[in-house]
Amino acid sequence: MFSTLNIGASALFATQRAVETASHNIANATVDGYSRQRVEMTSATPSPGTLGARSDGMRGNGVVVTDVTRLHDQLADVAVRSELTADGYAEARSTTLDRAQSVLGPVWDGAPAKLDALFASFNNLANNPTDPAARDAVLSAGQEVSRSLNDASQQLSDLTSASASKVSGDVDRLNQLTAQVAKLNQGVIDARASGQAPNDLLDSRDRAIDELHKLAGVTIHENALGVIDVYAGTKSLVRDNESFALQAGQTPGTGVPTVAFADGSSASIGGEIGGYIAVTTIDLPAVRASLDAVARGLATAVNAQHSVGTGLDGSTGNAFFSGTDAA
């Protein structure tokens, strides 16, 4: 009688656990990064039959829940995280370069149009060299060209500052995530030590690690206890239940963003942060060099022609533009 009741109770308990898990799956169906869970069951250890009774057999004791399995593909994680790192890097560069591409303004209203206006004003002055209005028009057109080049140079500086600010915010977020991963590592250890399946904790940790990959292109290592260590290059960001914060800074004089550990050693960073650092150390300086070359070439050519002319006061050798770069 009691055996029958125990078997029925085991079935009710196992079914209740399965219903709870199914309800949990449904409730989290739209949660990003949630891994579906499945209850694993097996027959309970049977009891021996009556000693000495022939053909009595072993008596079944119902069903037991052995585990709640997390249906998660780690190989897919590896592939996705590699793409997240590349995406974060490319997105940071693309966003900044899209803005850098427009520093000279549109063809019909930016620096190109102002250059056309300058050359047109020179042509008009050549036909009326003593006309005060024509002379003022040339000076005004030259000032507009200078202002456009100055503005473009300032916009490039602003882009560098904006990138440094974005890196600083990303580093703050990275530090929050590494602290979260360290805390979740401890939760995973505690749960497994008590024989529990920390599935939801693992989901939360994976979401944090996914974001770390996009932000910084980290590498990870999982040990036999299920603890994940996180690295930037060869240095630890997370080790067991301890995290190591990064610090954002700027290179003096240039404003280029930097990222380092608390001891001052530089951090090997990829992902979005690495993209912003790359665009400010490689791409924006190249754009600035091209802009300065345009400004320098324009000033050199115009000044060379202007200096051989004669002013109304009889003076010669006068420069039209001053300065050596776009700024």
Side-chain angles (χ1 to χ4, degrees), residues 223-247:
N223 66 23
L225 297 176
V227 170
I228 287 183
D229 293 334
V230 183
Y231 300 90
T234 58
K235 299 198 68 173
S236 294
L237 291 172
V238 177
R239 186 168 57 242
D240 295 333
N241 60 353
E242 185 179 8
S243 62
F244 304 90
L246 294 178
Q247 298 174 340

Side-chain angles (χ1 to χ4, degrees), residues 92-291:
R93 292 187 66 202
S94 175
T95 300
T96 307
L97 289 176
D98 279 347
R99 293 176 60 189
Q101 190 174 355
S102 63
V103 296
L104 289 176
V107 173
W108 60 89
D109 190 41
K114 289 176 171 57
L115 278 171
D116 287 342
L118 174 63
F119 296 139
S121 68
F122 269 128
N123 285 332
N124 185 51
L125 180 61
N127 296 324
N128 306 279
T130 60
D131 181 4
R135 296 169 68 82
D136 287 343
V138 170
L139 289 174
S140 177
Q143 289 167 351
E144 286 297 314
V145 170
S146 294
R147 191 175 297 112
S148 291
L149 294 172
N150 295 162
D151 288 346
S153 180
Q154 184 59 50
Q155 287 183 57
L156 291 179
S157 295
D158 291 344
L159 279 176
T160 299
S161 297
S163 295
S165 178
K166 192 67 173 69
V167 167
S168 179
D170 282 351
V171 167
D172 287 342
R173 177 58 181 161
L174 180 145
N175 290 336
Q176 293 173 3
L177 290 168
T178 53
Q180 181 182 349
V181 170
K183 183 177 180 180
L184 288 168
N185 274 342
Q186 187 61 55
V188 169
I189 293 172
D190 293 343
R192 286 181 169 162
S194 62
Q196 303 299 311
N199 295 329
D200 293 325
L201 296 181
L202 296 176
D203 283 345
S204 295
R205 190 175 65 180
D206 278 346
R207 283 193 291 269
I209 290 173
D210 287 347
E211 191 173 347
L212 282 170
H213 273 81
K214 182 163 187 175
L215 279 178
V218 299
T219 55
I220 63 172
H221 176 264
E222 184 172 359
N223 66 23
L225 297 176
V227 170
I228 287 183
D229 293 334
V230 183
Y231 300 90
T234 58
K235 299 198 68 173
S236 294
L237 291 172
V238 177
R239 186 168 57 242
D240 295 333
N241 60 353
E242 185 179 8
S243 62
F244 304 90
L246 294 178
Q247 298 174 340
Q250 297 181 28
T251 303
T254 65
V256 171
T258 60
V259 179
F261 285 90
D263 62 4
S265 60
S266 62
S268 177
I269 297 293
E272 183 174 299
I273 296 174
Y276 280 116
I277 292 175
V279 82
T280 53
T281 56
I282 300 172
D283 300 307
L284 290 183
V287 174
R288 182 179 293 281
S290 297
L291 181 65

